Amino acid sequence: MPSNTTAPPAKKKGRRARLILLVLVLALVAGVGYGGFWGVSTVRASFPQTTGEIRLDSLSGEVEVKRDANGVPQIYADNETDLFRAQGYVQAQDRFYEMDVRRHVTAGRLSEMFGESQVETDSFLRTLGWRRVAQQEYDKVLSPETKKYLQAYAEGVNAYLKDRDPADVSVEYAALALTNDYAIEPWTPVDSVAWLKAMAWDLRGNMQDEIDRSLMTSRMSASQIKQLYPDYPYALHQPIVDRGAVDESTGKFDPKGEAGDGDDDLTTGETPGGVPGSGSGSSGSSDGSGSSGSSGSSSGSSSGSSSGSSGAQSQLGALSEVLDGVPALLGPNGNGIGSNSWVVSGRYTTSGKPLLANDPHLAPQLPSLWYQMGLHCRSVSATCRYDVSGYTFSGMPGVIIGHNDKIAWGLTNLGADVTDLYLEKIGPDGYLVDGKVKPFTVRDEIIKVAGGDDRTITIRSTERGPLVSDRSSDLEKVGQKAPVGNAAPDRGTGYGVSLQWTALQPGRSMDAIFALDRAKDFGQFRDAAKNFEVPSQNLIYADTEGNIGYQSPGKIPQRGKGDGTLPAPGWDSSYRWKGYIPFAKLPYEYNPKRGYIVTANQAVIDAKNYPDLLTKDWGYGSRSQRINDLIESKIKDGGKISPDDMRTMQTDNRSEIATLLNPLLLKIDISDPYVREAQKLLEGWDYTQEPDSAAAAYFNAVWRNVLKLSFGDKLPKELRAEGDCINVRPADATGPVDEQNKLVRECGQRDPDSAQPDGGDRWYEVVRPLLKQEKSEWWVTPGNRTDPATETRDQLLARAMKDARWELTAKLGKDVSTWSWGRLHQLTLRNQTLGTAGPGVVQQLLNRGPWNLGGGEAAVDATGWNAAGGYEVIWVPSMRMVVNVGDWDKSRWINLTGASGHAFNSHYTDQTDAWAKGDLYDWAYGKAAVDAATKDTLKLKP
């Protein structure tokens, strides 16, 4: 629910808050002061027309747009191109400013809108080349049919823009006009395709872990780093696919294979298109150890890719800072990016048909990342095949998650390792590979800057990918003393860092989206998934015939040497990618005997039984196992699961780490009466994290302080949050502390949203075995003026409890009876540009909130927060849906905000209160249900 005014102020955002030039905000405020800039007429000028008739030259027939009480549109047309033209028109009505900002991000053209402050970000995005790859996809790879739909969508967007002044499109353009002569450009099909690259970037997997492991080597040993990246706990948290193997005779994955360790759950029917016969299964070459000391990384270390290289450390630290500056369109890359989805067979449901739930966990944005919509052919036929409803992205045609008349599907991030960083020995003439210098591929690009001079940047690429380290100003300062076996050709620049990433190659994911929308059975569903190359997602499935299924798609590399956990030596060609895992080898399931499938970013399959490396950096399975347990508890002894049970599971907020840590906290002998008063809150607590829970507030503060004391203060500055300053020995110090080797003040450099330790379920697995050890090096902390040093587990826990007591006293007050988790754990919805920075008046006009939330990190109700940065909600279930397969009109859904991107429109945040409570709205699909729910009807005519 919305908070009261006693809530603590929202914390300052990091580099991503610099999306708008300050002078623009000040000019906007000046406009407020000079008489009604934000007057009623200015605000309402951009509101969409939702009733009556509008004529569009590009249409071939009449289209109806029916909007319900929440402004959610259902579009009806007689042919496919008109359907997608209308989709473009309607999305532009509601969300064009959001679409325009997104395309400027993907093209590296933010400086054209917001000025010089965005040149560095644009430079990095141009170096990655999202837009260039999207153009190649459109020109050379996508099917003619997909290109026709993209062109129709663009025609619809441009029909909306025609003859409109920018201020009549969105009020933000009126603000831009005060300092910028920015003009809106026509929409193009490539603008839509490029958005898939932004999705793939934010869901790219373990790239940050790869950097962090390398940065840790400046202060930690290989064994310590291994402890901080433990193996996936297969014994505790079951993978998505609990049996199956690759048939050695066919090279295809067999879901009935005998290598699995799970229950003996033979499929109940053949997969459409044929299922490979039972095979012996592969013994597998990947041990799943997750060890940073694996053969690949140790070999790289001998060549200079580990802690020995100060040049590599500096480059990776600088790269990490650059990454923080790239707008995180989906959320902070790391443990929180994920989702829940699960599907339950009809034999365990009250309806007798499958139930499917999905809630992607992404960054809170205003407007929401998702846009709800239905796309309906009035008469479904071979020439007009779409009758689909669900969640779309504004700026892209089609439906991304949802259902048609035969099947339903959901997505979660698979987390496959699809990026590798390579250290490059570079010189004036190129980069070294196997003792020979290869020339860079070079191109120049011009960045246009609003209110400033154009900038020209030079982009260099290796055979693997772009030299991303060129975008760091530290490039000239590093590598001069890199202690490698054979020196870099040019010691003045030393190591460069290049990026190889599957999304930098043209692909067919856009084809896959349209194919999913019209799939009618599992065979067609898998055929569509075959082209869903990036970002690699877990796809779950259900159909009206009662079948359920799962498919892991994606373009996932097969490496030579190395396991992707550390940057590889680019000068050694044996570390090249050999190819990609064939789609036929990727794991899938169809009607497993257990009767349900859960995906929540956990391991896909036990690495012991699978021959190819998907990743060594899975989510650690806390959410997925909780969902598995909830389902099992409902269906045991013949129980049935209802749609409301599915909704209740989505809002489950139990803390797993509390079940491990809280019993130990209650045993600590606390003498300080004020700390003891807080400790009593934990007595009898059931580990749920409700907004009004004082126990949840105190426990999470204790957890945050346990992490800081045990791990945070031992991490290098490149991983710690900005403003987190401690006295430490220099990283290269040897011998005792003395005048020549004294402690130095070292402050964190990482954006608080992505700093470590973030407190996610990887840290649960780090702490789990340590809690059984009274003594460990991790429990040792130095003393200070008010606290003695700690040497044991209980000493450190006692100190964390004391620190948490005084932290919450400062934030929530002295009286513990007034504490609540929601007052500490708040969500503020910020307009994605003008609402992220500047004076409070601007934020009051454009932003909404805060809301006091329950849930928490790695809970099923994943209202994520970063323990290194604070308690503010930084990722959320960005939407929720429960699909009642076959009885579609009894499905339910909700969005984080609302359909509209226009501030002060009634649909700007009209779903947020219900979302915060865990409620869902009715989801009309059939014609009669849509007509009954319709409040506004707009006719688009040729």
Side-chain angles (χ1 to χ4, degrees):
M1 62 181 64
S3 73
N4 56 42
T5 57
T6 63
K11 71 179 178 67
K12 180 181 179 182
K13 300 298 288 181
R15 292 180 181 83
R16 286 184 287 104
R18 299 173 188 166
L19 195 59
I20 181 65
L21 191 63
L22 182 59
V23 66
L24 174 63
V25 178
L26 295 176
L28 184 147
V29 176
V32 174
Y34 279 104
F37 174 81
W38 288 89
V40 172
S41 60
T42 303
V43 170
R44 290 187 178 276
S46 60
F47 286 8
Q49 178 183 340
T50 58
T51 60
E53 296 182 357
I54 297 175
R55 295 202 173 271
L56 302 183
D57 292 340
S58 59
L59 287 178
S60 61
E62 182 177 292
V63 177
E64 286 183 300
V65 182
K66 300 184 177 184
R67 296 178 185 261
D68 66 12
N70 292 113
V72 175
Q74 304 282 341
I75 299 176
Y76 291 85
D78 291 322
N79 63 74
E80 294 174 351
T81 51
D82 277 355
L83 193 63
F84 295 116
R85 284 189 190 102
Q87 183 180 18
Y89 187 90
V90 170
Q91 288 192 343
Q93 279 188 306
D94 282 333
R95 299 280 192 95
F96 183 76
Y97 179 72
E98 175 192 25
M99 294 162 58
D100 201 14
V101 171
R102 284 180 179 175
R103 69 166 164 177
H104 278 77
V105 171
T106 59
R109 296 175 57 196
L110 287 169
S111 300
E112 295 178 26
M113 296 185 80
F114 305 120
E116 189 172 355
S117 66
Q118 296 308 298
V119 169
E120 183 178 347
T121 296
D122 283 345
S123 297
F124 187 73
L125 293 169
R126 296 282 187 98
T127 299
L128 293 179
W130 296 348
R131 171 76 186 205
R132 293 179 74 251
V133 180
Q135 186 71 58
Q136 293 169 7
E137 287 185 2
Y138 185 79
D139 291 342
K140 302 177 181 178
V141 178
L142 295 178
S143 70
E145 182 178 64
T146 293
K147 292 166 73 170
K148 179 178 69 173
Y149 296 155
L150 289 164
Q151 290 164 352
Y153 181 89
E155 289 169 1
V157 174
N158 292 327
Y160 174 73
L161 296 175
K162 184 180 180 182
D163 299 329
R164 277 187 167 82
D165 291 331
D168 294 333
V169 174
S170 189
V171 72
E172 288 91 341
Y173 290 114
L176 280 173
L178 295 173
T179 59
N180 188 354
D181 58 357
Y182 176 76
I184 297 174
E185 296 177 356
W187 192 263
T188 73
V190 180
D191 293 331
S192 296
V193 178
W195 174 240
L196 286 170
K197 301 303 172 186
M199 284 180 59
W201 176 254
D202 280 350
L203 300 174
R204 62 192 180 272
N206 79 333
M207 182 174 167
Q208 193 65 61
D209 288 329
E210 192 175 331
I211 294 171
D212 288 356
R213 268 188 287 257
S214 298
L215 293 172
M216 285 179 183
T217 60
S218 67
R219 292 198 173 276
M220 295 180 176
S221 67
S223 62
Q224 289 173 321
I225 296 171
K226 169 75 167 99
Q227 284 184 275
L228 299 188
Y229 287 89
D231 299 345
Y232 184 86
Y234 289 101
L236 295 173
H237 300 157
Q238 68 189 66
I240 298 171
V241 177
D242 62 1
R243 66 165 302 133
V246 174
D247 187 323
E248 292 178 340
S249 64
T250 64
K252 296 181 179 180
F253 185 81
D254 178 7
K256 299 185 294 184
E258 297 300 325
D261 291 332
D263 57 353
D264 188 19
D265 51 20
L266 297 179
T267 55
T268 59
E270 292 292 289
T271 306
V275 177
S278 178
S280 61
S282 171
S283 61
S285 59
S286 174
D287 63 7
S289 67
S291 171
S292 59
S294 66
S295 61
S297 56
S298 62
S299 177
S301 297
S302 66
S303 299
S305 66
S306 71
S307 60
S309 173
S310 61
Q313 291 292 316
S314 298
Q315 285 287 21
L316 292 168
L319 175 59
S320 185
E321 289 193 56
V322 172
L323 294 178
D324 263 351
V326 177
L329 298 176
L330 304 187
N333 187 266
N335 199 51
I337 285 283
S339 306
N340 300 322
S341 70
W342 64 96
V343 61
V344 181
S345 168
R347 74 174 184 266
Y348 292 133
T349 68
T350 56
S351 67
K353 292 286 189 179
L355 295 174
L356 186 150
N358 198 186
D359 55 285
H361 307 154
L362 304 170
Q365 298 181 13
L366 185 57
S368 166
L369 187 80
W370 298 106
Y371 185 92
Q372 296 156 287
M373 179 174 260
L375 301 171
H376 307 278
C377 292
R378 289 194 180 96
S379 178
V380 177
S381 66
T383 58
C384 195
R385 296 164 291 173
Y386 293 91
D387 189 13
V388 61
S389 184
Y391 294 87
T392 75
F393 294 128
S394 57
M396 268 180 55
V399 168
I400 311 300
I401 296 173
H403 71 82
N404 58 33
D405 63 326
K406 296 294 184 181
I407 76 166
W409 69 94
L411 304 180
T412 65
N413 195 28
L414 191 148
D417 186 355
V418 295
T419 61
D420 275 341
L421 294 172
Y422 288 88
L423 298 181
E424 305 287 358
K425 294 179 179 180
I426 61 177
D429 300 320
Y431 59 101
L432 201 68
V433 179
D434 294 339
K436 296 180 180 179
V437 175
K438 290 194 171 187
F440 290 108
T441 301
V442 180
R443 72 179 190 273
D444 289 336
E445 295 211 8
I446 298 173
I447 297 174
K448 296 181 179 180
V449 182
D453 297 331
D454 293 352
R455 308 289 179 84
T456 300
I457 63 170
T458 298
I459 297 167
R460 301 187 293 175
S461 296
T462 72
E463 61 188 8
R464 289 168 291 276
L467 200 67
V468 290
S469 55
D470 274 0
R471 301 284 71 87
S472 166
S473 61
D474 286 348
L475 179 62
E476 297 178 357
K477 305 175 184 177
V478 302
Q480 297 177 5
K481 297 181 180 180
V484 294
N486 52 341
D490 179 355
R491 299 293 289 188
T493 54
Y495 288 117
V497 181
S498 66
L499 169 67
Q500 187 165 16
W501 176 34
T502 55
L504 296 184
Q505 301 172 30
R508 298 185 60 190
S509 294
M510 199 73 234
D511 287 343
I513 290 169
F514 293 114
L516 281 173
D517 285 356
R518 58 180 184 257
K520 300 300 183 182
D521 57 36
F522 194 59
Q524 293 179 14
F525 176 78
R526 292 192 71 211
D527 286 343
K530 189 179 302 181
N531 289 327
F532 208 123
E533 296 171 336
V534 293
S536 186
Q537 299 287 288
N538 295 306
L539 291 171
I540 62 165
Y541 167 93
D543 64 35
T544 54
E545 299 300 314
N547 302 303
I548 64 173
Y550 162 81
Q551 177 68 57
S552 55
K555 198 170 191 177
I556 303 172
Q558 293 174 313
R559 294 169 174 82
K561 288 185 179 179
D563 61 7
T565 59
L566 285 170
W571 53 89
D572 184 346
S573 63
S574 64
Y575 285 83
R576 287 174 174 161
W577 290 1
K578 299 185 299 181
Y580 301 95
I581 301 174
F583 178 79
K585 289 181 70 176
L586 292 173
Y588 74 96
E589 283 191 314
Y590 189 62
N591 293 330
K593 184 179 178 181
R594 65 181 179 278
Y596 60 89
I597 302 169
V598 175
T599 85
N601 320 114
Q602 80 271 39
V604 170
I605 189 169
D606 195 327
K608 292 183 300 182
N609 306 315
Y610 191 72
D612 290 284
L613 177 65
L614 300 176
T615 185
K616 289 196 172 183
D617 288 306
W618 299 111
Y620 280 76
S622 293
R623 284 180 287 110
S624 61
Q625 193 56 47
R626 176 62 175 166
I627 296 167
N628 275 296
D629 292 344
L630 289 170
I631 293 172
E632 285 291 341
S633 69
K634 290 294 296 185
I635 65 177
K636 68 179 181 181
D637 302 324
K640 301 287 186 179
I641 294 176
S642 70
D644 197 56
D645 291 330
M646 300 284 275
R647 181 198 66 81
T648 300
M649 291 178 194
Q650 286 182 323
T651 57
D652 181 84
N653 57 33
R654 183 173 179 263
S655 169
E656 182 188 343
I657 190 60
T659 66
L660 301 174
L661 186 55
N662 199 62
L664 294 175
L665 298 178
L666 290 174
K667 294 179 181 179
I668 303 294
D669 185 12
I670 299 294
S671 58
D672 185 320
Y674 291 104
V675 181
R676 173 62 184 141
E677 185 181 32
Q679 184 188 35
K680 287 182 179 179
L681 295 173
L682 303 178
E683 295 176 356
W685 179 43
D686 62 359
Y687 312 134
T688 60
Q689 301 173 92
E690 297 294 334
D692 61 356
S693 171
Y698 182 57
F699 174 82
N700 283 314
V702 173
W703 172 235
R704 167 171 148 84
N705 281 278
V706 166
L707 291 170
K708 175 179 172 61
L709 293 169
S710 302
F711 310 104
D713 290 351
K714 299 177 177 71
L715 294 174
K717 62 182 181 297
E718 293 89 352
L719 274 68
R720 300 200 316 275
E722 291 175 330
D724 178 10
C725 301
I726 56 176
N727 294 321
V728 296
R729 299 178 68 194
D732 57 355
T734 58
V737 175
D738 54 28
E739 285 301 317
Q740 283 72 41
N741 188 20
K742 58 186 177 182
L743 298 178
V744 296
R745 190 71 169 164
E746 207 175 69
C747 295
Q749 298 178 348
R750 184 71 60 85
D751 186 300
D753 287 357
S754 56
Q756 292 294 331
D758 62 22
D761 62 358
R762 171 165 69 89
W763 293 97
Y764 295 4
E765 298 311 314
V766 171
V767 170
R768 187 190 300 274
L770 292 177
L771 291 178
K772 300 175 183 178
Q773 304 173 31
E774 180 61 27
K775 289 194 174 184
S776 165
E777 62 180 330
W778 300 109
W779 303 135
V780 177
T781 65
N784 56 39
R785 295 178 180 177
T786 59
D787 293 292
T790 66
E791 296 182 353
T792 68
R793 178 196 65 196
D794 289 353
Q795 289 173 351
L796 185 137
L797 295 182
R799 181 170 166 184
M801 293 172 75
K802 175 186 174 183
D803 291 351
R805 179 21 161 148
W806 296 115
E807 181 187 4
L808 294 200
T809 297
K811 291 180 180 293
L812 301 179
K814 184 178 179 180
D815 185 355
V816 300
S817 68
T818 68
W819 290 0
S820 71
W821 176 225
R823 283 181 61 207
L824 198 63
H825 186 55
Q826 295 190 316
L827 168 68
T828 298
L829 293 173
R830 295 180 175 87
N831 178 282
Q832 63 177 324
T833 54
L834 298 179
T836 60
V841 63
V842 177
Q843 298 186 24
Q844 291 172 17
L845 289 167
L846 294 176
N847 298 344
R848 299 294 181 268
W851 281 264
N852 297 340
L853 297 186
E857 183 64 36
V860 179
D861 185 12
T863 56
W865 55 286
N866 187 308
Y871 303 96
E872 180 183 4
V873 177
I874 60 173
W875 49 69
V876 293
S878 55
M879 63 80 161
R880 297 186 183 100
M881 73 177 192
V882 174
V883 183
N884 200 321
V885 176
D887 199 352
W888 304 115
D889 293 326
K890 291 185 179 178
S891 301
R892 310 200 77 203
W893 64 351
I894 201 161
N895 205 350
L896 172 64
T897 60
S900 179
H902 299 287
F904 308 106
N905 186 282
S906 61
H907 302 308
Y908 193 45
T909 56
D910 59 335
Q911 298 187 51
T912 309
D913 285 347
W915 173 92
K917 296 174 184 176
D919 293 339
L920 299 174
Y921 291 136
D922 291 339
W923 179 355
Y925 171 73
K927 183 67 163 53
V930 169
D931 287 345
T934 296
K935 300 299 181 184
D936 290 337
T937 300
L938 175 67
K939 293 185 178 181
L940 304 177
K941 293 189 172 184

